[in-house]
């Protein structure tokens, strides 16, 4: 049942990830968001293309769909000794569904808002506050949302390992030593996927052409 449980959690998460908020909001405004900006169906592109309200709605819905997926998994497997790592699988599944929705030719967003939802669903105030502070500080200093997002994901992985090894995770998110490397592994793959999805952003950051927060929308030309 080891692999079956994890597959079930991934599938549950993937189904929630299929809710493409930015794409649906764009359709409501007769705009195909995939034809603007980065071409991604995510929070940053919704903000640039559809405005602040759409960006906020996208972030909240994309984040909470991961939270709901995790809550369902926690309810189903509430008596399991590895419920925390199972909840991470559900969260990761949500990110995969968001990034690669089958009905959009597997072209969705970059998974940062969904990943933020996973961090929130850890129900550990330390992780949440550190993530918020990291993102806010980096974006305030650089105005690069992509850089702030990658720093949050990197910080989440490091914090999870440090707090896990020191036994400082919250009561809800504690995991046994038998599952710690698997827990870290899921978090690592989720972080790695964020970097892969942001590879073009990383290239632009390195050569100084990355768009900053507040720049006007433009037709996709990539």
């Amino acid at each position: 049942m080891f692999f079956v449980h994890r597959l079930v959690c991934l599938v549950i998460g993937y189904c929630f990830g299929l809710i493409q908020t930015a794409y649906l909001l764009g359709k409501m405004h007769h705009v195909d968001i995939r034809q603007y900006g980065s071409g991604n169906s995510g929070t940053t592109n919704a903000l640039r293309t559809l405005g602040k309200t759409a960006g906020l709605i996208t972030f909240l819905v994309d984040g909470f769909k991961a939270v709901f997926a995790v809550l369902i998994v926690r309810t189903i497997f509430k008596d399991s000794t590895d419920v925390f790592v199972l909840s991470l699988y559900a969260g990761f599944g949500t990110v995969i569904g968001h990034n690669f929705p089958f009905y959009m030719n597997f072209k969705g967003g970059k998974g940062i808002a969904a990943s933020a939802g996973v961090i929130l669903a850890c129900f550990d105030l330390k992780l949440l506050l550190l993530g918020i502070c990291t993102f806010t500080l980096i974006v305030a200093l650089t105005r690069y949302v992509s850089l702030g997002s990658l720093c949050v994901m990197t910080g989440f992985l490091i914090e999870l390992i440090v707090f896990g090894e020191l036994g400082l995770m919250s009561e809800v998110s504690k995991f046994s030593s038998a599952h710690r490397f698997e827990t870290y592994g899921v978090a690592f793959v989720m972080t790695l996927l964020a970097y892969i999805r942001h590879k073009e952003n990383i290239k632009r950051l390195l050569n100084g052409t990355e768009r900053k927060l507040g720049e006007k929308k433009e037709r996709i030309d990539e």
Side-chain angles (χ1 to χ4, degrees):
M1 298 298 289
F2 179 90
F3 293 106
V4 174
H5 287 174
R6 281 145 181 78
L7 180 60
V8 168
C9 294
L10 284 171
V11 171
I12 290 173
Y14 185 84
C15 290
F16 274 93
L18 294 177
I19 303 171
Q20 294 292 311
T21 314
Y23 176 75
L24 295 174
L25 287 174
K27 284 299 183 182
M28 291 172 60
H29 291 83
H30 309 290
V31 171
D32 186 344
I33 196 171
R34 296 172 298 176
Q35 299 300 317
Y36 288 84
S38 64
N40 288 287
S41 179
T43 299
T44 303
N45 207 30
L47 176 64
R48 290 194 178 112
T49 305
L50 303 172
K52 294 180 180 179
T53 300
L56 178 60
I57 293 173
T58 300
F59 178 77
L60 291 175
V61 175
D62 286 350
F64 276 98
K65 65 190 181 186
V67 175
F68 287 130
V70 169
L71 289 176
I72 287 176
V73 165
R74 281 186 173 274
T75 300
I76 295 174
F77 298 102
K78 60 183 179 180
D79 297 324
S80 175
T81 58
D82 55 352
V83 64
F84 181 71
V85 69
L86 290 176
S87 68
L88 279 186
Y89 276 105
F92 184 42
T94 306
V95 174
I96 295 174
H98 177 79
N99 291 354
F100 309 108
F102 70 88
Y103 64 93
M104 291 172 60
N105 296 320
F106 301 97
K107 185 178 180 180
K110 296 182 180 179
I112 296 302
S115 297
V118 177
I119 296 174
L120 175 61
C122 286
F123 302 109
D124 190 310
L125 188 59
K126 297 187 299 299
L127 295 177
L128 178 61
L129 291 179
L130 284 170
I132 293 174
C133 290
T134 298
F135 183 81
T136 302
L137 179 61
I138 297 299
V139 174
L141 291 175
T142 68
R143 291 177 57 206
Y144 289 130
V145 175
S146 56
L147 181 60
S149 301
L150 292 174
C151 287
V152 169
M153 293 308 300
T154 304
F156 171 62
L157 175 61
I158 295 172
E159 292 150 17
L160 190 63
I161 294 174
V162 171
F163 293 149
E165 291 300 299
L166 295 177
L168 297 177
M169 294 294 290
S170 68
E171 195 64 34
V172 177
S173 297
K174 282 185 178 179
F175 48 89
S176 66
S177 58
H179 301 293
R180 62 176 178 164
F181 291 118
E182 183 183 8
T183 299
Y184 304 152
V186 176
F188 172 78
V189 174
M190 190 162 64
T191 302
L192 178 62
L193 179 59
Y195 274 84
I196 292 174
R197 294 293 288 171
H198 283 79
K199 62 181 179 181
E200 296 302 324
N201 301 83
I202 294 172
K203 291 178 182 178
R204 290 193 293 268
L205 284 168
L206 292 175
N207 61 32
T209 59
E210 174 72 335
R211 287 185 294 274
K212 293 186 177 183
L213 184 65
E215 289 187 2
K216 295 181 179 180
K217 67 182 180 181
E218 58 185 40
R219 281 279 184 178
I220 182 170
D221 56 5
E222 300 175 27

